[in-house]
């Protein structure tokens, strides 16, 4: 019987992973070349790491994080600067070189830990011609495997629907472009799912919560804020008095990841400074400026797409905002911890401000909304701690799926005809690899499959 259950669970995971992969691929095809934030730097870094160049060479006149590497010219061309700051400009203007010769180029991700980049870089090198789209495909599969596993785990305590509505429109975009943000969000989602699972069974594994967080820290040192997000959801499940074994389970993976990151940073000579963005303002001015930026940070975390030059449709953003409000009400109405969302809001607002102010003389006002997406997901997903059937939740999941499809159409429109162009995508200047309406139909079918999967509840 256990073997049958194990096999069934594996099939659910594989099915969810396949559906997420289809969704991710539809996004990857719909986003113009290098349309993701800092995507050129990440792909060039991945290509260099795959070639064995882990560190590159310092570049005179550029910040310490920039390193010169040698990659194929096709990867070092087609810069999106001609369209990335104006949502009325199509992606037609960005054209990659077809030449196969190699050139030296600088990447701003030159000192980032290489683990993610090695996986993303080696597979395209081995299985394809190494074009930019191939790197996205690897990223999509990685994120989809994590999200598929998270959906399988969450549906066992009735949280599958909560997980789907928790993903902001901005998150769907980032899952499909090359960069550490997408996989970080996927890993935090998994950690949150496992943390919430402990409300159903306090004996559920702590390691399942902590290991994804440790991986985040190893991939991206600034992911330390993700520890705070998951910690908020995990803390109520820790029994008192806290045992030494519990502390060891929580601390050991995080310390190991921090040690690996520290060793890498020491070897690369990491310098946390950027003269381009650093400022010399006094502390009160820095605090005031950071606080004034909170609304924009929230807006970006919910709906920012591309290089933050355009946003998901207003209706899609409002669906997620409504989901957050519903989650807060659900927690107050059905959970014993009525004040959790108050603590969550304080942390989500104050922690980015504190980090910006502490580092403003070194790197300036650098916090972007995509760094806070994990907080947004946690704010919705925490409501799954209460395992109660809700017809309204099922309907909200369907509406959220429609919002995701609407956002994909909006993204295609932005790159094909500009946001002032045809609603039916006629007279397009840029075209995705597949027919855009076919991409939308495929995406909708895969989202329907995820909705069905999220509504069926399994066993732990």
């Amino acid at each position: 019987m256990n073997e049958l259950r194990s096999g069934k669970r594996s099939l659910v995971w594989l099915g969810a992973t396949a559906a997420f992969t289809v969704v991710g691929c539809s996004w990857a095809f719909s986003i113009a070349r290098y349309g993701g934030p800092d995507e050129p730097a990440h792909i060039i870094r991945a290509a260099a790491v795959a070639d064995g160049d882990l560190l590159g060479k310092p570049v005179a006149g550029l910040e310490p994080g920039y390193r010169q590497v040698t990659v194929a010219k096709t990867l070092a061309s087609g810069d999106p600067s001609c369209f990335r700051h104006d949502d009325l400009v199509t992606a037609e203007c960005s054209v990659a070189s077809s030449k196969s010769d190699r050139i030296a180029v600088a990447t701003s991700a030159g000192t980032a830990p290489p683990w993610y980049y090695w996986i993303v870089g080696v597979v395209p090198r081995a299985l394809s011609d190494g074009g930019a789209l191939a790197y996205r495909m690897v990223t999509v599969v990685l994120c989809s495997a994590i999200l598929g596993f998270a959906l399988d785990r969450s549906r066992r305590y009735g949280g599958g629907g909560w997980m789907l509505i928790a993903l902001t429109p901005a998150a769907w975009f980032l899952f499909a472009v090359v960069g550490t943000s997408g996989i970080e969000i996927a890993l935090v989602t998994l950690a949150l799912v496992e943390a919430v699972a402990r409300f159903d069974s306090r004996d559920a594994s702590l390691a399942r919560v902590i290991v994804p967080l440790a991986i985040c820290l190893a991939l991206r040192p600034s992911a330390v804020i993700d520890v705070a997000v998951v910690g908020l959801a995990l803390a109520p499940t820790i029994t008192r008095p806290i045992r030494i074994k519990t502390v060891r389970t929580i601390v050991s993976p995080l310390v190991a990841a921090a040690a690996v990151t520290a060793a890498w940073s020491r070897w690369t000579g990491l310098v946390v400074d950027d003269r381009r963005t650093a400022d010399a303002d006094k502390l009160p001015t820095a605090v005031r400026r950071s606080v004034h930026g909170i609304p924009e940070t929230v807006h970006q975390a919910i709906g920012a797409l591309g290089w933050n030059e355009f946003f998901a449709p207003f209706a899609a953003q409002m669906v997620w905002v409504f989901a957050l409000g519903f989650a807060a009400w659900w927690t107050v109405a059905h959970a014993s911890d009525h004040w959790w969302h108050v603590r969550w809001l304080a942390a989500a607002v104050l922690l980015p401000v504190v980090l910006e102010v502490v580092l403003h003389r070194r790197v300036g006002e650098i916090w972007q909304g995509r760094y806070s997406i994990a907080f947004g997901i946690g704010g919705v997903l925490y409501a799954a701690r209460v395992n109660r059937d809700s017809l309204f939740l099922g309907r909200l999941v369907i509406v959220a799926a429609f919002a995701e499809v609407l956002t994909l159409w909006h993204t295609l429109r932005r790159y094909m005809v500009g946001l002032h162009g045809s609603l039916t995508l006629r007279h397009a200047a840029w075209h995705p690899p597949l027919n855009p309406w076919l991409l939308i139909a495929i995406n909708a079918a895969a989202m329907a499959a995820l909705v069905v999967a999220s509504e069926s509840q399994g066993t732990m």
Side-chain angles (χ1 to χ4, degrees), residues 97-435:
S97 171
S98 59
K99 296 182 179 180
S100 59
D101 51 324
R102 299 172 67 80
I103 63 172
V105 64
T107 169
S108 59
T111 57
W115 332 119
Y116 164 80
Y117 297 101
W118 184 83
I119 298 173
V120 172
V122 166
V123 176
R125 181 184 177 90
L127 300 180
S128 73
D129 60 359
L133 188 58
Y135 292 83
R136 282 188 182 173
M137 294 299 99
V138 180
T139 295
V140 165
V141 172
L142 283 174
C143 291
S144 296
I146 297 168
L147 292 170
F149 186 65
L151 185 64
D152 177 35
R153 294 289 299 172
S154 63
R155 61 188 286 278
R156 299 179 192 185
Y157 56 84
W162 287 108
M163 179 189 146
L164 284 186
I165 66 174
L167 299 175
T168 70
W172 289 108
F173 186 100
L174 291 170
F175 292 144
V177 296
V178 179
T180 51
S181 292
I183 193 167
E184 176 188 348
I185 295 167
L187 286 166
V188 172
T189 300
L190 175 58
L192 286 166
V193 163
E194 296 293 354
V196 173
R198 288 176 52 81
F199 286 100
D200 192 61
S201 172
R202 296 299 174 92
D203 294 328
S205 172
L206 261 178
R208 287 181 180 271
V209 182
I210 303 302
V211 170
L213 278 181
I215 296 173
C216 280
L217 285 176
L219 295 180
R220 187 169 173 268
S222 58
V224 63
I225 199 164
D226 297 333
V227 177
V229 178
V230 178
L232 283 171
L234 179 64
T237 73
I238 303 298
T239 56
R240 273 66 169 178
I242 301 176
R243 296 178 296 174
I244 296 298
K245 182 181 178 181
T246 300
V247 175
R248 189 184 302 120
T249 302
I250 294 174
V251 172
S252 297
L254 299 178
V255 169
V260 169
T261 299
W264 170 260
S265 299
R266 183 177 180 83
W267 184 67
T268 60
L270 178 66
V271 178
V272 185
D273 283 304
D274 194 329
R275 291 168 295 181
R276 302 167 304 166
T277 55
D279 63 67
D281 290 337
K282 293 182 179 180
L283 187 62
T285 302
V287 172
R288 184 166 56 251
R289 185 175 59 246
S290 185
V291 170
H292 285 171
I294 290 173
E296 181 60 21
T297 296
V298 173
H299 190 199
Q300 290 178 357
I302 296 171
L305 310 175
W307 294 68
N308 293 341
E309 85 275 13
F310 76 114
F311 288 77
F314 180 77
Q317 295 182 58
M318 287 301 99
V319 168
W320 186 87
V321 171
F322 185 84
L324 176 62
F326 177 61
W329 171 82
W330 188 263
T331 301
V332 171
H334 300 293
S336 57
D337 189 358
H338 303 316
W339 297 100
W340 186 87
H341 274 90
V342 174
R343 297 194 298 275
W344 166 83
L345 180 62
V349 169
L350 294 179
L351 284 179
V353 170
V354 170
L355 286 175
E356 275 197 334
V357 171
V358 168
L359 297 174
H360 82 280
R361 290 180 180 268
R362 307 188 70 174
V363 295
E365 189 179 353
I366 47 80
W367 193 265
Q368 296 191 43
R370 66 179 182 271
Y371 308 146
S372 292
I373 290 176
F375 269 112
I377 293 173
V380 176
L381 191 51
Y382 184 77
R385 61 167 289 182
V386 183
N387 186 6
R388 292 173 182 265
D389 293 330
S390 170
L391 179 61
F392 183 78
L393 175 61
R395 291 172 177 173
L396 185 57
V397 173
I398 295 173
V399 173
F402 274 112
E404 184 275 339
V405 177
L406 176 65
T407 305
L408 179 68
W409 163 81
H410 185 72
T411 300
L412 281 162
R413 184 182 181 219
R414 181 263 174 274
Y415 293 119
M416 293 178 67
V417 297
L419 291 187
H420 66 315
S422 168
L423 295 175
T424 57
L425 313 180
R426 295 171 58 195
H427 311 301
W430 176 85
H431 297 273
L434 295 178
N435 179 281

